[in-house]
Amino acid sequence: MNGADSLVATLVGQGVDICFANPGTSEMHFLAALGNNPKMRSVLCLFEGVATGAADGWYRMKDTPASTLLHLGPGLANGLANIHNAKRASSGMVNVVGEHSVSHLKYDPPLTSDIEGLARPLCHWVRRAESPDTIAWDAAQAVAKASEHPGQIATLILPGDTSWQAVSATPAAPPVRTAARKAPGAARIEHVVRVLRSGEPALIVLANKATRGGALEKAGRVAAATGAVLGSQFFTARLERGAGRVPIARIPYAVAQATAFLKDFRHIITVETREPVAFFAYPDKPSLLKAEGTLVHTLVEADEDSELAFDMLLQALGAPHVAPVLQPRIETPVPTGALNPASIAHALAAALPEHCIVVDESLTTGRESMSLTMGGLPHDLINNMGGSIGYATPVATGAALACPDRRVFCMVGDGSAMYTIQSLWTQAREGLNVTTIIFANNSYAILKAEYANMGAGAPGERALSMIDIDKPSIDWLAMAKSMGVPAVAVDTAERFYKALVDSTREPGPCLIEVRL
Amino acid sequence: MNGADSLVATLVGQGVDICFANPGTSEMHFLAALGNNPKMRSVLCLFEGVATGAADGWYRMKDTPASTLLHLGPGLANGLANIHNAKRASSGMVNVVGEHSVSHLKYDPPLTSDIEGLARPLCHWVRRAESPDTIAWDAAQAVAKASEHPGQIATLILPGDTSWQAVSATPAAPPVRTAARKAPGAARIEHVVRVLRSGEPALIVLANKATRGGALEKAGRVAAATGAVLGSQFFTARLERGAGRVPIARIPYAVAQATAFLKDFRHIITVETREPVAFFAYPDKPSLLKAEGTLVHTLVEADEDSELAFDMLLQALGAPHVAPVLQPRIETPVPTGALNPASIAHALAAALPEHCIVVDESLTTGRESMSLTMGGLPHDLINNMGGSIGYATPVATGAALACPDRRVFCMVGDGSAMYTIQSLWTQAREGLNVTTIIFANNSYAILKAEYANMGAGAPGERALSMIDIDKPSIDWLAMAKSMGVPAVAVDTAERFYKALVDSTREPGPCLIEVRL
């Protein structure tokens, strides 16, 4: 047994049994170890941003970390944007980054870089595996760190010699740490009870683990008992929504709409999140979105147990058995005619099958219309928490591997899709049930609006040419074909609906180009 | 005039008149400033790794820096791998990285990250532009730093408010610094003269600016006068080669071949580089490639003037007028039949037009055979200095913009091409004269050899499945079509030759899939 074998055995032993890999020369022993361990599933990615994004998608659906394999500092660098997005989504992840052997590093060969320096700004935990005898403990620590609540980014640097040298002594099995979630303080609960009993308008903003399962259901009871409104940030790591679920109001993205939404609340109560802030700064707009005089109260900190908090709250309110108001099913007729945000959302509402997963990076197209799918069949909605474009197609890939029995609908703008389009190949390779929906408006459409929002005036011809991506326009049918994914283009709402339904009939990936 | 206008005006004033851009919301004022300045050329890239790689390609051909525009920390992260490659190639570059406004940062909005922390491991100079009044000086400093010899990576962080606020006072014009190259010390020259006069076998290893122009020609005179052999590392930033040029022997990549090549040299004399080291460490192979007993002498440090050094050397040797031995033209017949490394190289040797530029990331296919093109028409050869895969298609893009009258041949393996394949779109958009040659062996073929080299044994079925990229195989004709690049596939040497020649007949990009 060498260091690489010990590392893989430890990962598997600690429950990390999938590795999204983009290997290089210095990782050949790790690759061998992956191949030799029948309990480890290896998924090849043609670009590192696909690997880290897929690990994020895996965590979103499983609540347990996946591992990645990246090739030295530049390989890690290529994965960092989606590590940033995963970090902001509180997803746990264990990155294994190959490195030169200790004896070789001093010669500063071409691929040498400061891997710790690259990792630290975006990872919670960084360690260099110094010996094959201690790597099991390193790996166990990495998994424990990644498994904390909220999930953490753990990065283990694996020098070649640590990988290939024999383990000389079997170390004592590292302890498995379970991530106990902290209980919120009783004083805070009492304070929020007083706020909720005041009768003043209150918004409870739910995030992370509070937007699903028992926590969401109990939040619904609190809302029903007190009249508080349940809300979420515009972007949420994973939201259980649709008919039969407790509905959550979404704070709008645009600053003017968000402040209008928030202006009548006297209280904002935060659960695993903080008070709403604008995504970007604009010359003449506020950063904080609440009205003057609105009070912000923390109910649940990011590392605390929100389901327990709502239990405590219901007990203190004397309302443990109040039934939550649930979202009724809204039967949406199949839309016809022109494609626009509303008809697109109606087609989705009518077509999305029960228990599907929607990964949304549709930006302009989906931004204002996703509320129209609230009454669809129950589904999970995943958003981009870090704002770095190119998250959706990898996250959809990882989510589909995590939930092979559920179809994933990946809604993505054409500009966004191009950052990590290599995901399609992994979807074809693994036969994943992903329907990629490309909103092809041949433009970074969001920037057209933002140009005006920023007070930069009307974009001139030369500035516009840097926002449009229509010269040439991307041929999405050819792009899908190039990576082995069947595709169809649609230009009416009824054809879009039909393509969505058709995509659920056969296993495996497909792509729908929505021509706008 | 706002800060963004001042920044663009300064860049242009200092000679940086091209910007490879992937903009986001926080850069709208900079985008407006780019559009408003008729002396600035903006080139849109659909992924940041294309932007930074293109800036590298620009520098390789121009010896002056280009600028890039990247969107906050994650945008920089996506560009870092090719920044690493550029740094290792001693290419200068000015990166402008958008950032939240100062007033917004404290709320830690989603796209916030430690941009300085991400930049420092791979950039020589990092600064945050604090005010529109001082940004002209910041930008001038960035350009001065990037223009040093060797070229440096300068990264200027541009907060939104610095960008959009008005310049209140016109600052004194910043000084233009010219990068004076240092002269090598006379004692070192005298020492090398003694070595060269000893009659013992000597290899002069040339790099960076010494592999072209006057420096190369004078190195050739030194070789002719002393019997020393001229060599280069396996990878060189830019090499002028072909008929009529001073030929340079290439130190092989594989450790066994490299040590065999070097074993008979008593002296290794380095010029703008250091002694040869293995690219990777292997369990039972040396890191240093020279024979025991070989002495290493520094003739020219990285920041010194190699042409001046060879002038001094020729003077001291009393041989200023010795003629160099030049590479004779070798007329290569058009090869026929099966495609293999030799027939591929022969087709290239026969087809490459005079003064073309070859960007090589062909790895296994091109590695052992490029010497067969030594007698072709004079051309420039560009290699990957940093070892991070995905450099070739962006570098070819930048080189084609730098030299619109010269065709660029981008030789790239299929696996490598997939990292930054978005380059094709920019090539189509700008109508660039790039012939992309995809060596489609449906495999990370280099890793098959490295698996054995590493002593990991014969790869099992599961390990092999992580090295082959044939499920599905990539449809390169569809890939090229998707981004508006005409393409052809070839499966014989004569068809490859014909496709190469055909590609030179029309302006604009094309792609040749070489089916192996």
Side-chain angles (χ1 to χ4, degrees):
Chain A
M1 174 178 265
N2 63 24
D5 297 322
S6 176
L7 171 53
V8 173
T10 308
L11 290 174
V12 167
Q14 305 277 326
V16 177
D17 55 6
I18 193 163
C19 183
F20 297 99
N22 185 262
T25 294
S26 41
E27 293 86 54
M28 288 299 98
H29 293 85
F30 186 75
L31 202 66
L34 287 175
N36 291 338
N37 192 315
K39 292 184 183 153
M40 176 62 88
R41 179 167 189 179
S42 303
V43 177
L44 184 58
C45 303
L46 298 186
F47 177 69
E48 297 88 345
V50 177
T52 54
D56 183 8
W58 176 271
Y59 185 94
R60 302 267 191 132
M61 296 312 301
K62 287 269 200 189
D63 290 321
T64 60
S67 62
T68 70
L69 173 61
L70 309 171
H71 184 49
L72 292 98
L76 170 63
N78 278 336
L80 282 176
N82 273 333
I83 286 175
H84 167 85
N85 287 331
K87 182 188 185 194
R88 291 278 169 169
S90 298
S91 293
M93 182 186 305
V94 176
N95 302 301
V96 177
V97 181
E99 166 65 305
H100 292 304
S101 299
V102 173
S103 62
H104 197 58
L105 263 181
K106 61 178 172 287
Y107 300 116
D108 193 34
L111 262 168
T112 309
S113 66
D114 175 5
I115 301 180
E116 279 91 344
L118 287 167
R120 284 216 181 87
L122 293 170
C123 302
H124 299 91
W125 182 97
V126 181
R127 183 178 291 181
R128 183 169 288 249
E130 304 277 7
S131 151
D133 291 339
T134 50
I135 197 169
W137 280 75
D138 296 331
Q141 282 263 319
V143 177
K145 189 70 189 169
S147 306
E148 285 181 6
H149 171 74
Q152 308 278 301
I153 310 292
T155 295
L156 183 61
I157 300 167
L158 178 63
D161 46 356
T162 302
S163 192
W164 72 57
Q165 285 167 1
V167 175
S168 63
T170 309
V176 178
R177 288 203 295 190
T178 52
R181 296 172 63 173
K182 291 184 198 160
R188 230 189 297 140
I189 300 289
E190 282 165 32
H191 172 74
V192 171
V193 166
R194 279 192 299 275
V195 169
L196 290 172
R197 281 187 171 151
S198 70
E200 295 174 337
L203 176 71
I204 304 177
V205 183
L206 306 173
N208 202 13
K209 303 286 198 278
T211 55
R212 49 193 167 99
L216 175 59
E217 192 264 341
K218 287 164 188 170
R221 292 178 192 273
V222 168
T226 64
V229 173
L230 296 182
S232 72
Q233 307 281 3
F234 187 75
F235 294 117
T236 295
R238 179 178 148 209
L239 200 71
E240 288 179 354
R241 69 199 289 270
R245 260 81 180 262
V246 172
I248 307 177
R250 192 179 191 185
I251 301 172
Y253 181 89
V255 172
Q257 293 165 262
T259 52
F261 174 88
L262 292 172
K263 75 178 167 41
D264 294 328
F265 292 107
R266 168 74 176 153
H267 302 282
I268 291 176
I269 298 166
T270 60
V271 178
E272 300 191 47
T273 186
R274 288 173 304 162
E275 72 164 291
V277 301
F279 209 84
F280 287 106
Y282 302 85
D284 299 311
K285 296 192 172 84
S287 289
L288 295 180
L289 301 174
K290 68 173 185 285
E292 220 179 301
T294 296
L295 302 174
V296 178
H297 316 273
T298 300
L299 172 59
V300 185
E301 296 279 9
D303 60 347
E304 293 176 341
D305 186 333
S306 45
E307 183 168 354
L308 176 58
F310 285 115
D311 274 334
M312 293 164 75
L313 209 51
L314 287 168
Q315 212 63 44
L317 288 164
H321 303 302
V322 174
V325 176
L326 299 181
Q327 171 69 45
R329 173 82 169 111
I330 302 169
E331 295 285 351
T332 310
V334 176
T336 56
L339 286 162
N340 54 50
S343 67
I344 287 168
H346 283 133
L348 285 164
L352 290 181
E354 194 165 2
H355 298 311
C356 72
I357 299 162
V358 179
V359 180
D360 187 9
E361 193 174 27
S362 59
L363 304 186
T364 34
T365 305
R367 176 167 293 175
E368 309 307 343
S369 59
M370 278 302 284
S371 61
L372 298 173
T373 62
M374 278 294 286
L377 293 170
H379 60 276
D380 285 24
L381 176 64
I382 289 175
N383 289 135
N384 186 355
M385 303 299 288
S388 182
I389 296 302
Y391 104 103
T393 66
V395 165
T397 304
L401 278 155
C403 302
D405 298 332
R406 302 171 65 176
R407 180 155 286 269
V408 180
F409 293 83
C410 176
M411 297 170 48
V412 59
D414 46 4
S416 302
M418 284 301 289
Y419 286 73
T420 46
I421 192 61
Q422 303 91 338
S423 306
L424 294 180
W425 184 85
T426 297
Q427 292 171 14
R429 181 182 196 265
E430 302 288 334
L432 303 182
N433 299 323
V434 180
T435 302
T436 299
I437 305 162
I438 304 279
F439 295 108
N441 56 17
N442 296 306
S443 166
Y444 290 132
I446 189 170
L447 296 185
K448 291 188 182 171
E450 293 291 53
Y451 199 93
N453 285 339
M454 278 289 171
E461 188 185 338
R462 297 183 73 208
L464 258 185
S465 77
M466 298 296 286
I467 297 177
D468 283 323
I469 59 171
D470 61 341
K471 293 189 182 80
S473 60
I474 294 156
D475 180 337
W476 286 102
L477 302 184
M479 179 65 80
K481 179 166 186 272
S482 75
M483 288 181 272
V485 171
V488 61
V490 298
D491 52 9
T492 66
E494 60 269 32
R495 287 195 191 119
F496 178 44
Y497 169 81
K498 180 172 185 302
L500 286 169
V501 173
D502 287 349
S503 80
T504 67
R505 296 194 201 282
E506 299 281 338
C510 67
L511 181 145
I512 302 170
E513 179 191 354
V514 178
R515 291 190 174 156
L516 299 173
Chain B
M1 174 178 266
N2 62 24
D5 296 324
S6 175
L7 171 52
V8 172
T10 308
L11 289 174
V12 167
Q14 304 277 327
V16 178
D17 55 5
I18 192 163
C19 183
F20 298 99
N22 184 260
T25 295
S26 41
E27 292 87 53
M28 287 299 98
H29 292 85
F30 186 75
L31 201 66
L34 287 174
N36 291 338
N37 193 314
K39 291 183 183 154
M40 176 61 87
R41 179 168 189 178
S42 302
V43 177
L44 184 58
C45 302
L46 297 186
F47 177 69
E48 296 88 344
V50 177
T52 54
D56 183 7
W58 176 271
Y59 185 93
R60 303 264 193 132
M61 296 312 302
K62 286 270 199 191
D63 291 321
T64 60
S67 62
T68 69
L69 173 61
L70 309 171
H71 183 48
L72 293 98
L76 171 64
N78 277 336
L80 282 176
N82 273 333
I83 285 175
H84 167 84
N85 287 331
K87 182 188 186 195
R88 291 279 169 166
S90 299
S91 292
M93 182 186 305
V94 176
N95 301 301
V96 176
V97 181
E99 168 64 304
H100 290 306
S101 300
V102 173
S103 62
H104 197 58
L105 262 182
K106 61 177 171 289
Y107 301 115
D108 193 34
L111 262 167
T112 309
S113 66
D114 174 5
I115 302 180
E116 280 90 343
L118 287 167
R120 283 217 180 87
L122 293 170
C123 302
H124 300 91
W125 182 97
V126 181
R127 183 178 292 181
R128 183 170 287 250
E130 306 276 7
S131 151
D133 291 338
T134 50
I135 198 168
W137 280 74
D138 295 332
Q141 281 264 319
V143 177
K145 188 70 189 168
S147 306
E148 285 182 7
H149 171 76
Q152 309 278 301
I153 310 292
T155 294
L156 183 61
I157 301 166
L158 177 62
D161 46 358
T162 303
S163 193
W164 73 55
Q165 286 167 1
V167 175
S168 64
T170 308
V176 178
R177 287 203 295 190
T178 51
R181 297 172 63 175
K182 291 184 198 160
R188 231 189 296 139
I189 301 289
E190 282 166 31
H191 172 74
V192 171
V193 166
R194 278 193 298 275
V195 169
L196 290 172
R197 282 187 170 152
S198 70
E200 295 173 335
L203 176 71
I204 304 176
V205 183
L206 306 173
N208 201 12
K209 303 285 199 279
T211 54
R212 48 194 169 97
L216 176 58
E217 192 263 343
K218 287 164 188 170
R221 292 178 193 273
V222 168
T226 63
V229 173
L230 296 181
S232 72
Q233 307 281 5
F234 188 74
F235 295 118
T236 295
R238 180 177 148 208
L239 201 70
E240 288 178 353
R241 69 200 287 271
R245 260 80 180 262
V246 172
I248 306 177
R250 192 178 192 186
I251 301 171
Y253 181 89
V255 172
Q257 292 164 262
T259 53
F261 174 87
L262 292 171
K263 75 177 168 39
D264 294 328
F265 292 107
R266 170 73 176 153
H267 302 281
I268 291 175
I269 297 165
T270 61
V271 178
E272 299 191 47
T273 186
R274 287 172 304 161
E275 72 163 293
V277 300
F279 209 84
F280 288 106
Y282 302 85
D284 299 312
K285 296 192 172 85
S287 289
L288 295 180
L289 301 174
K290 68 173 183 286
E292 221 179 299
T294 296
L295 302 172
V296 179
H297 316 272
T298 302
L299 173 60
V300 185
E301 297 278 11
D303 60 347
E304 293 177 341
D305 186 333
S306 45
E307 183 168 353
L308 176 58
F310 285 116
D311 274 335
M312 293 164 74
L313 209 51
L314 287 168
Q315 212 63 45
L317 287 165
H321 303 300
V322 175
V325 177
L326 299 180
Q327 172 68 45
R329 172 83 171 114
I330 302 169
E331 295 285 350
T332 309
V334 175
T336 57
L339 286 162
N340 54 51
S343 67
I344 286 168
H346 283 133
L348 286 163
L352 290 181
E354 194 165 2
H355 299 311
C356 72
I357 299 163
V358 179
V359 180
D360 187 8
E361 193 174 27
S362 59
L363 303 186
T364 35
T365 305
R367 176 168 292 174
E368 309 307 343
S369 59
M370 279 301 284
S371 61
L372 298 172
T373 62
M374 279 294 285
L377 293 170
H379 60 276
D380 285 23
L381 176 64
I382 289 175
N383 289 134
N384 185 354
M385 303 299 288
S388 183
I389 297 301
Y391 103 103
T393 65
V395 166
T397 303
L401 279 155
C403 302
D405 298 332
R406 302 171 65 176
R407 181 155 285 268
V408 180
F409 292 84
C410 176
M411 297 171 46
V412 57
D414 45 5
S416 302
M418 284 303 288
Y419 287 73
T420 46
I421 193 61
Q422 303 91 338
S423 305
L424 293 180
W425 184 84
T426 298
Q427 292 171 15
R429 179 183 197 268
E430 302 288 333
L432 303 183
N433 298 323
V434 180
T435 303
T436 298
I437 304 163
I438 303 279
F439 295 108
N441 57 18
N442 295 305
S443 166
Y444 290 133
I446 191 171
L447 295 185
K448 290 188 183 171
E450 294 290 53
Y451 200 93
N453 285 339
M454 278 288 171
E461 189 185 337
R462 297 183 71 207
L464 258 185
S465 77
M466 298 294 287
I467 299 177
D468 282 324
I469 59 171
D470 61 340
K471 293 187 182 80
S473 60
I474 294 155
D475 180 337
W476 286 101
L477 301 185
M479 179 65 79
K481 180 167 186 272
S482 75
M483 288 181 271
V485 171
V488 61
V490 298
D491 52 9
T492 66
E494 60 270 30
R495 286 193 191 122
F496 178 44
Y497 169 81
K498 180 173 184 304
L500 286 169
V501 172
D502 287 349
S503 80
T504 66
R505 296 195 201 282
E506 299 281 338
C510 66
L511 181 145
I512 302 170
E513 179 192 355
V514 178
R515 293 189 173 156
L516 298 174

